[in-house]
């Protein structure tokens, strides 16, 4: 700004001063407020406080509702968990006669309430959150899935109740029961296939563990129902027939791999749900099979020197029953006995299990019951009936044939409970005391689903002590086995030890304790045989020791086998040791039953069991 301007402002004075009659204008801070509304000032300050209080009140009410819903949901899950054990009991086959299912209904209702709570609109805002929302969505899915699974079980059980009560007086009624059972299982499988457990990743540890356990249990139930569906379908095809089977009686006093030696045989005709068992004959009375019956390559390479294709006593040197059964079918046809559609094997334990349902039988002045039959079949028959001559042996075998024939007649009668019969056969099958094979794929899938096919899973171990002494000493051999595993980056190193004690007497008939003419045994009570173990084909660093010397080893179908020759004098114990390595990530094995009597006693850590059935071990 110029100097002139500054001078102008400095020299300027107002020409008309304010009249003296007016008051001096107030300072700016003393001016009255300019009102923008007609409300008083206190009312203006109330508006934002009112909004905040309303918002806070609504938030508090929501949080209270949310807490109530979540607490109620988790409380319902806790109540459902409390009823789970009762649910398993109430939905079992043994409980089909009960009228009410209070535990199962309570569990389903509690899970439904939990699902209602976690699916509530109150919870939906939390479900949208990336971390917390995932946990809540999975809890909701598990609640809904739990309710569905229990409801499926309740509906299946209620549908099965009248089916189990239906009289099975003839073959047609048996087929109707099987068809109804198959429909129940099939419908249940279809419903369970719709179960959604929600995502499995990014879950907190307790919830992840719960989901994993639920998934494992769901898979187990689904597998059981699928097996029931497939098994009943195959069994119905078998019973409808017509089918012509070869039936072999296995003698557990003279063992092979996975079952006793096949010493008697008959034919079984099945049609329209009815079956007829022909007379049992000694294998020595059967027409012999020629020497040119073809063998599976592994079987030929391992056991071909035993002539399994022409001698029924050496067919089951492998525990892989589908292989030995298919060989039996070829041998039967090649001998001139005629073609058969399949093969069944029964041993004394299976007959005893059936007698628990059918009751006692009487023949030749003797009463045979479930209480005395096993000892009679495995040992006492050789003392009760003379064995010095072929004629004496014929009398003994005729007696056994009469017992088995009467048992089958009772099984075929209307008096026998089909439910009890199924349970008895199931118990026998779990220990390899009943084995079945069919050339028809549908029927064979059914046998496999019912657990009677005698197949070995890939990850399995099967121990066998095979008698080669021409005596009946397996009845006196007690076996204890132990197993342990060590985990490293290289895999799992597994060690198994087998202690075999020979408790055979020396003062019994030579037919029992030996020596028999032409036998390799020179003294009574001496056990000689082959200790063999089938183990996973993927196992490496395999070592088997403790016997007199090594025998065959190598691939055996989907497994591999190692073996040792053993001689055990009376009162002595032979200890064998097996070690092998499994690939990294393999943490379990299926221990297959041996079908031995007495059974093998297994010890793994603090767990002990007799191998009356197979068991999966984990480490």
């Amino acid at each position: 700004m110029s100097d002139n301007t500054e001078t102008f402002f400095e020299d300027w004075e107002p020409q008309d001063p304010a009249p003296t009659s007016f008051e001096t204008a107030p300072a700016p801070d003393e001016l009255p407020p300019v009102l923008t509304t007609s409300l008083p000032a206190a009312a203006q300050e109330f508006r934002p406080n009112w909004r905040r209080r309303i918002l806070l009140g609504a938030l508090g009410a929501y949080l209270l509702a949310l807490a109530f819903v979540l607490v109620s949901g988790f409380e319902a899950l806790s109540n459902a968990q409390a009823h789970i054990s009762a649910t398993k009991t109430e939905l079992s086959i043994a409980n089909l006669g009960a009228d009410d299912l209070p535990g199962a209904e309570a569990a389903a209702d509690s899970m439904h309430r939990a699902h209602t709570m976690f699916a509530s609109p109150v919870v939906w805002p939390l479900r949208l959150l990336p971390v917390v929302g995932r946990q809540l969505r999975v809890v909701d899915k598990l609640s809904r899935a739990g309710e569905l699974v229990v409801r499926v079980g309740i509906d299946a059980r209620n549908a099965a109740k009248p089916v189990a009560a239906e009289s099975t007086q003839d073959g047609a009624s048996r087929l109707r029961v099987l068809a109804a059972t198959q429909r129940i299982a099939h419908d249940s499988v279809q419903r369970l296939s719709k179960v959604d457990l929600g995502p499995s990743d990014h879950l907190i540890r307790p919830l992840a563990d719960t989901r994993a356990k639920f998934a494992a249990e769901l898979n187990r139930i689904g597998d059981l129902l699928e097996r029931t569906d497939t098994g009943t379908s195959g069994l119905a095809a078998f019973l409808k027939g017509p089918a012509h089977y070869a039936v072999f009686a296995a003698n557990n006093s003279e063992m092979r791999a996975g079952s006793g030696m096949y010493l008697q045989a008959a034919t079984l005709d099945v049609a329209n749900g009815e079956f007829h068992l022909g007379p049992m004959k000694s294998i020595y009375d059967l027409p012999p099979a020629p020497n040119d019956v073809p063998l599976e390559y592994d079987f030929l390479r391992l056991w071909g020197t035993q002539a399994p294709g022409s001698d029924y006593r050496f067919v089951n040197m492998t525990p892989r029953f589908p292989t030995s059964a298919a060989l039996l079918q070829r041998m039967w046809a090649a001998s001139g006995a005629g073609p058969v559609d399949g093969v069944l094997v029964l041993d004394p334990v299976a007959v005893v299990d059936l007698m628990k349902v059918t009751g006692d039988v009487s023949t030749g002045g003797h009463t045979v019951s479930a209480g005395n039959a096993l000892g009679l079949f495995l040992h006492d028959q050789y003392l009760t009936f003379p064995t010095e001559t072929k004629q004496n042996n014929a009398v003994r075998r005729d007696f056994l044939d009469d017992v088995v024939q009467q048992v089958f007649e009772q099984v075929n009668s209307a008096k026998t409970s089909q439910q009890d019969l199924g349970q008895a056969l199931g118990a026998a099958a779990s220990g390899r005391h009943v084995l079945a094979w069919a050339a028809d794929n549908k029927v064979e899938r059914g046998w496999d689903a019912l657990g009677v096919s005698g197949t070995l899973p890939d990850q399995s171990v099967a121990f066998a002590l095979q008698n080669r002494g021409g005596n009946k000493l397996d009845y006196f051999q007690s076996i204890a086995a132990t197993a342990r595993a060590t985990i490293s980056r290289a895999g799992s190193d597994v060690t198994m030890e087998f202690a075999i004690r020979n408790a055979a007497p020396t003062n019994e008939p030579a037919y029992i304790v030996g020596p028999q003419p032409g036998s390799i045994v020179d003294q009574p009570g001496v056990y000689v045989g082959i200790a063999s173990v089938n183990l996973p084909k993927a196992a490496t660093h395999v070592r088997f020791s403790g016997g007199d010397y090594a025998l065959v080893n190598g691939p055996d179908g989907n497994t591999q086998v190692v073996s040792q020759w053993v001689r055990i004098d009376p009162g002595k114990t032979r200890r064998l040791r097996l070690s092998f390595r499994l690939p990294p990530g393999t943490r379990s094995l299926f221990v297959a039953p041996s079908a031995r009597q007495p059974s093998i006693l297994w010890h793994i850590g603090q767990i002990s069991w007799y191998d009356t059935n197979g068991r999966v071990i984990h480490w």
Side-chain angles (χ1 to χ4, degrees):
M1 185 176 294
S2 66
D3 293 341
N4 292 336
T5 304
E6 293 177 2
T7 304
F8 171 82
F9 278 106
E10 290 175 358
D11 295 342
W12 182 84
E13 292 181 3
Q15 298 300 315
D16 297 313
T20 57
S21 61
F22 286 91
E23 297 181 357
T24 305
D29 58 342
E30 296 177 1
L31 289 173
V34 178
L35 298 180
T36 58
T37 177
S38 61
L39 293 176
Q44 296 181 58
E45 295 178 359
F46 175 78
R47 180 181 293 275
N49 291 338
W50 175 80
R51 291 175 177 172
R52 184 166 54 250
R53 289 172 183 172
I54 292 295
L55 180 61
L56 291 176
L59 180 60
Y62 169 74
L63 291 177
L64 286 176
L66 178 63
F68 172 78
V69 169
L70 292 178
V71 170
S72 298
F74 284 111
E75 182 180 10
L77 286 180
S78 178
N79 291 337
Q81 183 66 32
H83 294 290
I84 290 298
S85 58
T87 297
K88 292 181 179 180
T89 301
E90 291 176 358
L91 299 182
S92 66
I93 295 177
N95 196 49
L96 282 178
D99 294 327
D100 299 321
L101 305 171
E105 292 287 356
D109 290 343
S110 295
M111 289 180 182
H112 177 74
R113 176 171 172 77
H115 165 61
T116 302
M117 293 295 103
F118 292 118
S120 167
V122 176
V123 182
W124 270 100
L126 288 184
R127 292 168 63 111
L128 300 177
L129 298 177
V131 177
V132 175
R134 176 178 288 265
Q135 317 304 313
L136 289 175
R137 291 194 298 272
V138 170
V139 171
D140 180 30
K141 294 284 188 181
L142 292 178
S143 304
R144 181 70 183 98
E147 178 194 3
L148 178 59
V149 170
V150 175
R151 289 295 179 193
V152 168
I154 292 173
D155 293 344
R157 182 266 184 194
N158 290 338
K161 186 176 179 180
V163 174
E166 183 176 343
S167 174
T168 52
Q169 298 180 358
D170 52 26
S173 60
R174 293 190 185 105
L175 292 175
R176 285 197 303 271
V177 167
L178 280 174
T181 303
Q182 195 259 337
R183 284 195 301 271
I184 294 170
H186 183 76
D187 291 345
S188 299
V189 169
Q190 295 301 309
R191 292 176 63 186
L192 287 181
S193 67
K194 301 176 182 178
V195 171
D196 180 10
L197 302 183
S200 60
D201 55 337
H202 304 299
L203 301 179
I204 60 176
R205 182 62 178 271
L207 183 56
D209 292 343
T210 299
R211 187 192 180 285
K213 291 178 182 178
F214 197 124
E217 182 66 11
L218 183 61
N219 288 337
R220 186 191 67 81
I221 295 173
D223 180 69
L224 176 61
L225 288 171
E226 287 181 357
R227 284 179 172 271
T228 303
D229 184 3
T230 304
T232 52
S233 177
L235 184 58
F238 163 71
L239 285 179
K240 185 177 181 180
H244 185 60
Y245 271 60
V247 180
F248 288 85
N251 189 337
N252 300 68
S253 293
E254 202 165 353
M255 287 297 297
R256 287 290 180 261
S259 64
M261 185 183 294
Y262 304 151
L263 294 178
Q264 288 182 290
T267 56
L268 179 71
D269 289 295
V270 186
N272 298 319
E274 304 283 351
F275 45 86
H276 173 72
L277 180 68
M280 300 293 294
K281 297 181 179 180
S282 169
I283 58 169
Y284 303 109
D285 297 329
L286 295 176
N291 293 325
D292 59 352
V293 176
L295 303 176
E296 180 198 69
Y297 175 74
D298 286 346
F299 201 16
L300 173 64
R301 181 180 51 80
L302 292 169
W303 306 109
T305 57
Q306 307 296 324
S310 59
D311 193 331
Y312 291 110
R313 297 174 301 170
F314 297 98
V315 170
N316 54 335
M317 301 290 286
T318 175
R320 295 185 298 118
F321 182 69
T323 296
S324 56
L327 175 58
L328 286 170
Q329 183 198 38
R330 294 193 296 270
M331 293 172 63
W332 192 271
S335 70
V340 290
D341 301 306
V343 173
L344 292 175
V345 170
L346 300 173
D347 72 8
V349 177
V351 177
V352 171
D353 285 338
L354 291 176
M355 292 185 70
K356 293 176 182 178
V357 179
T358 61
D360 301 351
V361 299
S362 297
T363 181
H366 299 273
T367 298
V368 182
S369 67
N372 64 16
L374 190 59
L376 175 67
F377 291 147
L378 297 180
H379 176 260
D380 296 348
Q381 59 165 306
Y382 307 114
L383 301 178
T384 303
F385 298 94
T387 56
E388 288 81 4
T389 66
K390 185 176 181 178
Q391 184 177 1
N392 294 147
N393 273 323
V395 173
R396 176 178 59 84
R397 290 165 181 156
D398 288 344
F399 167 78
L400 297 176
D401 179 42
D402 287 342
V403 172
V404 174
Q405 288 289 341
Q406 289 191 48
V407 171
F408 265 79
E409 288 174 6
Q410 290 296 324
V411 168
N412 204 28
S413 73
K415 299 178 182 179
T416 302
S417 165
Q418 299 300 302
Q419 178 181 339
D420 293 343
L421 180 62
Q423 290 178 336
L425 288 173
S430 65
R432 291 182 64 102
H433 303 298
V434 175
L435 297 168
W437 175 85
D440 181 89
N441 287 334
K442 182 178 182 179
V443 178
E444 176 62 10
R445 288 195 301 271
W447 293 139
D448 188 56
L450 294 174
V452 296
S453 66
T455 58
L456 287 183
D458 293 342
Q459 299 298 323
S460 61
V461 169
F463 176 83
L465 182 63
Q466 306 191 42
N467 192 322
R468 293 292 283 111
N471 49 42
K472 311 299 179 185
L473 291 185
D474 282 277
Y475 182 69
F476 299 103
Q477 309 305 304
S478 61
I479 304 175
T482 60
R484 61 182 180 274
T486 303
I487 304 171
S488 67
R489 291 184 178 180
S492 295
D493 291 311
V494 181
T495 300
M496 295 183 172
E497 296 179 350
F498 305 91
I500 309 168
R501 178 168 179 77
N502 180 8
T506 57
N507 58 350
E508 292 196 352
Y511 198 86
I512 299 175
V513 299
Q516 291 281 2
S519 170
I520 58 177
V521 177
D522 56 358
Q523 298 178 26
V526 174
Y527 190 97
V528 294
I530 302 169
S532 61
V533 185
N534 283 70
L535 61 153
K537 184 172 284 187
T540 59
H541 301 77
V542 181
R543 301 287 185 273
F544 192 32
S545 60
D548 296 317
Y549 51 86
L551 287 174
V552 301
N553 65 83
D556 188 13
N558 64 323
T559 69
Q560 60 176 306
V561 66
V562 291
S563 60
Q564 292 266 309
W565 180 267
V566 294
R567 172 189 169 115
I568 312 173
D569 291 334
K572 301 296 182 181
T573 299
R574 177 59 67 95
R575 301 182 184 277
L576 307 175
R577 187 177 189 275
L578 171 67
S579 62
F580 55 92
R581 176 176 294 172
L582 295 174
T586 302
R587 300 288 184 86
S588 64
L589 280 172
F590 175 72
V591 180
S594 63
R596 297 189 65 85
Q597 287 295 315
S599 305
I600 297 176
L601 176 61
W602 280 87
H603 303 277
I604 298 178
Q606 301 299 317
I607 302 174
S608 299
W609 82 94
Y610 286 98
D611 73 334
T612 53
N613 51 35
R615 176 173 294 203
V616 178
I617 59 175
H618 302 270
W619 59 88

